[in-house]
Amino acid sequence: MATTYGVPMSDEPSRPEEREEQHLVTKSYANAVEQKIEPPEGTSPNEYSGNEEQAQLAPIVKVPLKEVVSPIKERKERSKPDGDEGKKHLDSLDGNGGSETSTAAKPDGDAGKKHLDSHDEQRGSETSMAATSEKSAGGEPRKSKKERRKEKKEAEKINGVKKEESIVYEDFEQPNGNKLTTVKRTEVEYEVGIKQGEKEAQKTGHEEKDSLVSGRQAGAGWDRSGIRWAPLNVPLKRRLQTLTVLTHTLSVVLSASLFFFLCAIPLLWPLLLPYLLYCLFSSAATSGTLSHRSPLLRSLPIWSLFASYFPARLHRTAELPPTRKYIFGYHPHGILSFGAFASFATEALGFSQLFPGITNTLLTLDSNFRIPVYRDYALAMGLASVSRESCENLLSKGGPNKEGMGRAITIVIGGAQESLDAQPGSLRLVLKRRKGFVKIAIRTGADLVPVLAFGENELYDQVEPEGHPALRRVQIYVKKALGFTIPLFHARGVFNYDVGMMPYRKPLNVVVGRPVKVAQQKKPDEAYVEEVHAKYIEELERLWTDWKDVFARERKGELVIAE
């Protein structure tokens, strides 16, 4: 008996012409139901085959016998008997066709205990129909022919498409001559497959795009940088403001650099040597005569650019009569005391209009007047030394009565030590032990006027001394040895907003308080010094209380009077 893919087949001819010659009943393979073929015990699926060559195929391809070639179906239709005989033949096929084919497909012996392989959806549906028929024969009422035909039509569809529309063809051939049987997709399945293929192609293309390995992106670091760079289209006014503040900030360095540059020219040595000696021994900064003061230089429009950089404003709380003399106490020191320079060293904020008849002089370290070139710039701006001699000369000479009437000096009371406490959002003043300015006021009979600059500490960021005690000790040592110290500060730059030596553009509001009356004494009494000092602190605290909610809304703490 011949076998096909390990399945024993009947010896009866399959072609309708041959069966007609042998007077056999025409057989319909279209209605055959494939039975589960199991190999004999002890035999593997690959070993159970009619010949060795076919046993070499792995895995065995199982195709339902019900899927036949369309030409066979056409020949079957042509071979149908006419009339009642054909009708009876169809009825007999409906009842017995499946069983005949199933019986012919069964192997001899006890083979059938093991399945060759799992069946696909088509086989499962057909097997379930056979099982239903058997169940009906077992005891349930037999279904009518009309119902069985309807079930057959439904079973002959694959996903809503008739199996008859599928074409079985052999396309792939192995080296041993065996061919693989393939079922061609129907038109509907073909269109669905095309759409799925397009989706897979899109998905594959997307995955390939994501799998690209690229190098670094040029310029990405600038975008991720924490430094905010200034745009190129900044108005000219703001550029000039920045230039003016930059020039003032670097005035000491620029002056010293210019002098050393001139020293590199031997022809100028005969002039530079006498000038250097004059700078070292001149008393112009302490004489109190203000002979180098230039009202024109103090009133130049460039200082309006300087003050508007922040911007800075000068406010008064009370009028000051020009018949008295005054000592303005400026608080806090900050880093470079920009508010004091804009308010009392220039006319940019209108000091002469707010306090007419009063000539004010901003005081700075005496060592600044030993720097060539810079000393001349400072004297022309009306600055003077902060030494005791300078203070007493300024307040006892000049004025309408030649005794200092209408004169005023401005002292940054906290000094270099207070600059180490200049932290944004805080106001810590070094004042409790600072009583020298009170004694000078008593000796000269000058009234004390507290000045509070809101925003001075916000112009720079500084390393906090609490977190670096060793650094703080070094700074205090430098201050005692040289008279000044170097706080580690930073703010913004010329072309960026985050790194550099330029101050931040934050508002500066300099508020001048009410004067504290002082009685002149040649030898100040300690009790009276304490009394005047306490009144001064009281007026300073009043300034803070009255104006902190106006000019210090973003403060982190309250006013602290430290040692």
Side-chain angles (χ1 to χ4, degrees):
M1 180 182 294
T3 62
T4 301
Y5 303 111
V7 180
M9 302 297 294
S10 174
D11 292 333
E12 296 180 359
S14 60
R15 296 180 176 275
E17 297 85 356
E18 297 176 358
R19 294 182 66 85
E20 187 176 356
E21 292 176 358
Q22 298 180 18
H23 304 287
L24 295 175
V25 180
T26 304
K27 197 171 186 178
S28 175
Y29 289 92
N31 296 328
V33 179
E34 181 189 19
Q35 299 296 322
K36 299 179 182 179
I37 305 303
E38 297 181 357
E41 293 185 1
T43 306
S44 63
N46 288 341
E47 293 175 354
Y48 185 61
S49 174
N51 55 65
E52 296 180 358
E53 293 181 358
Q54 293 177 350
Q56 294 176 0
L57 291 175
I60 299 175
V61 180
K62 301 174 289 301
V63 180
L65 297 177
K66 200 169 184 179
E67 297 180 5
V68 297
V69 190
S70 296
I72 297 177
K73 181 184 175 184
E74 294 176 359
R75 290 195 297 269
K76 179 189 72 172
E77 294 294 337
R78 289 196 301 267
S79 63
K80 285 184 180 180
D82 299 332
D84 296 336
E85 183 181 355
K87 183 177 181 180
K88 292 178 181 180
H89 176 65
L90 290 175
D91 293 340
S92 64
L93 289 177
D94 292 338
N96 303 323
S99 59
E100 282 182 4
T101 308
S102 300
T103 305
K106 286 184 179 180
D108 297 334
D110 296 329
K113 296 181 180 180
K114 296 181 181 180
H115 295 289
L116 292 176
D117 230 334
S118 60
H119 301 286
D120 53 14
E121 294 179 0
Q122 301 173 20
R123 296 177 181 176
S125 62
E126 295 169 352
T127 306
S128 63
M129 288 180 59
T132 304
S133 301
E134 294 176 2
K135 185 176 181 181
S136 300
E140 294 183 2
R142 185 179 181 87
K143 294 183 180 180
S144 63
K145 295 180 180 180
K146 185 177 182 180
E147 292 177 350
R148 291 199 300 273
R149 288 196 188 102
K150 184 177 181 181
E151 290 179 356
K152 290 176 184 178
K153 291 180 181 179
E154 294 295 332
E156 290 174 357
K157 293 183 179 181
I158 303 175
N159 296 329
V161 181
K162 290 185 178 181
K163 296 181 182 178
E164 297 173 355
E165 297 177 8
S166 299
I167 300 177
V168 179
Y169 65 98
E170 297 177 341
D171 189 20
F172 304 98
E173 184 175 355
Q174 291 185 344
N176 57 9
N178 297 325
K179 293 184 178 181
L180 297 178
T181 304
T182 306
V183 180
K184 184 178 181 180
R185 291 178 176 178
T186 63
E187 294 183 359
V188 177
E189 293 174 330
Y190 184 74
E191 292 176 359
V192 173
I194 291 177
K195 293 180 180 180
Q196 292 178 350
E198 292 176 352
K199 292 181 179 179
E200 291 295 328
Q202 294 176 0
K203 183 178 178 181
T204 305
H206 180 68
E207 292 176 352
E208 290 179 355
K209 183 178 180 181
D210 291 342
S211 64
L212 291 177
V213 179
S214 305
R216 64 185 300 272
Q217 181 181 355
W222 293 85
D223 297 335
R224 296 191 301 267
S225 175
I227 300 177
R228 297 169 297 165
W229 296 95
L232 296 177
N233 57 344
V234 175
L236 177 61
K237 180 181 178 181
R238 293 179 66 87
R239 290 297 188 193
L240 294 177
Q241 291 171 351
T242 303
L243 178 61
T244 305
V245 175
L246 177 65
T247 303
H248 171 75
T249 305
L250 300 177
S251 56
V252 175
V253 177
L254 294 176
S255 300
S257 301
L258 178 60
F259 177 76
F260 287 118
F261 174 76
L262 297 176
C263 291
I265 304 175
L267 295 176
L268 299 178
W269 288 358
L271 299 176
L272 295 177
L273 183 59
Y275 172 73
L276 182 60
L277 296 175
Y278 171 75
C279 292
L280 295 175
F281 298 102
S282 173
S283 60
T286 59
S287 62
T289 59
L290 301 178
S291 57
H292 294 75
R293 186 186 183 104
S294 172
L296 177 62
L297 181 61
R298 289 169 56 93
S299 303
L300 289 177
I302 60 173
W303 304 122
S304 295
L305 293 172
F306 176 88
S308 61
Y309 171 90
F310 304 100
R313 295 292 300 276
L314 179 63
H315 313 273
R316 75 178 186 189
T317 58
E319 295 183 1
L320 301 180
T323 56
R324 302 281 298 176
K325 38 190 171 183
Y326 305 96
I327 296 179
F328 288 75
Y330 185 87
H331 308 274
H333 183 282
I335 301 298
L336 294 177
S337 302
F338 286 104
F341 183 84
S343 302
F344 307 115
T346 72
E347 290 296 331
L349 302 182
F351 180 87
S352 299
Q353 285 76 27
L354 291 175
F355 306 100
I358 297 178
T359 303
N360 198 334
T361 302
L362 179 63
L363 306 183
T364 184
L365 295 176
D366 186 70
S367 58
N368 290 332
F369 297 95
R370 302 292 179 258
I371 301 175
V373 182
Y374 179 78
R375 68 174 295 279
D376 300 285
Y377 163 72
L379 290 174
M381 293 297 299
L383 274 67
S385 173
V386 75
S387 63
R388 175 182 175 181
E389 178 187 2
S390 175
C391 293
E392 293 181 350
N393 289 335
L394 288 169
L395 295 174
S396 59
K397 299 178 181 179
N401 61 353
K402 304 299 181 180
E403 295 180 358
M405 186 178 65
R407 286 283 187 92
I409 60 175
T410 300
I411 304 175
V412 184
I413 304 297
Q417 184 174 351
E418 191 175 87
S419 66
L420 300 178
D421 297 324
Q423 296 292 338
S426 64
L427 188 59
R428 188 173 185 271
L429 305 181
V430 179
L431 186 57
K432 285 186 177 180
R433 295 184 179 181
R434 298 295 175 100
K435 300 177 182 178
F437 71 101
V438 177
K439 295 179 181 179
I440 293 176
I442 295 175
R443 278 195 295 265
T444 58
D447 296 339
L448 292 175
V449 182
V451 180
L452 196 57
F454 294 90
E456 185 71 56
N457 285 348
E458 275 69 35
L459 300 182
Y460 284 98
D461 291 320
Q462 184 181 183
V463 177
E464 295 185 2
E466 289 78 6
H468 304 80
L471 175 63
R472 183 60 178 264
R473 289 194 295 268
V474 172
Q475 291 173 330
I476 295 298
Y477 175 80
V478 172
K479 192 264 177 184
K480 291 180 179 179
L482 304 178
F484 64 91
T485 187
I486 304 175
L488 296 182
F489 62 90
H490 71 88
R492 56 160 293 176
V494 178
F495 300 108
N496 71 85
Y497 301 118
D498 299 286
V499 179
M501 307 293 289
M502 293 284 293
Y504 292 124
R505 285 181 177 265
K506 295 187 177 181
L508 261 177
N509 290 279
V510 182
V511 182
V512 180
R514 296 178 298 190
V516 176
K517 299 293 183 179
V518 176
Q520 187 175 6
Q521 295 179 2
K522 294 297 182 182
K523 292 183 179 181
D525 183 63
E526 291 296 329
Y528 187 63
V529 171
E530 294 291 338
E531 178 185 351
V532 174
H533 187 264
K535 291 181 179 179
Y536 179 85
I537 293 178
E538 182 181 354
E539 177 61 21
L540 187 62
E541 291 176 341
R542 186 194 67 81
L543 275 179
W544 169 257
T545 304
D546 292 347
W547 302 104
K548 64 181 180 180
D549 293 333
V550 178
F551 301 125
R553 296 178 181 177
E554 299 180 359
R555 63 185 181 277
K556 299 178 182 178
E558 297 297 321
L559 172 65
V560 178
I561 306 297
E563 299 293 334

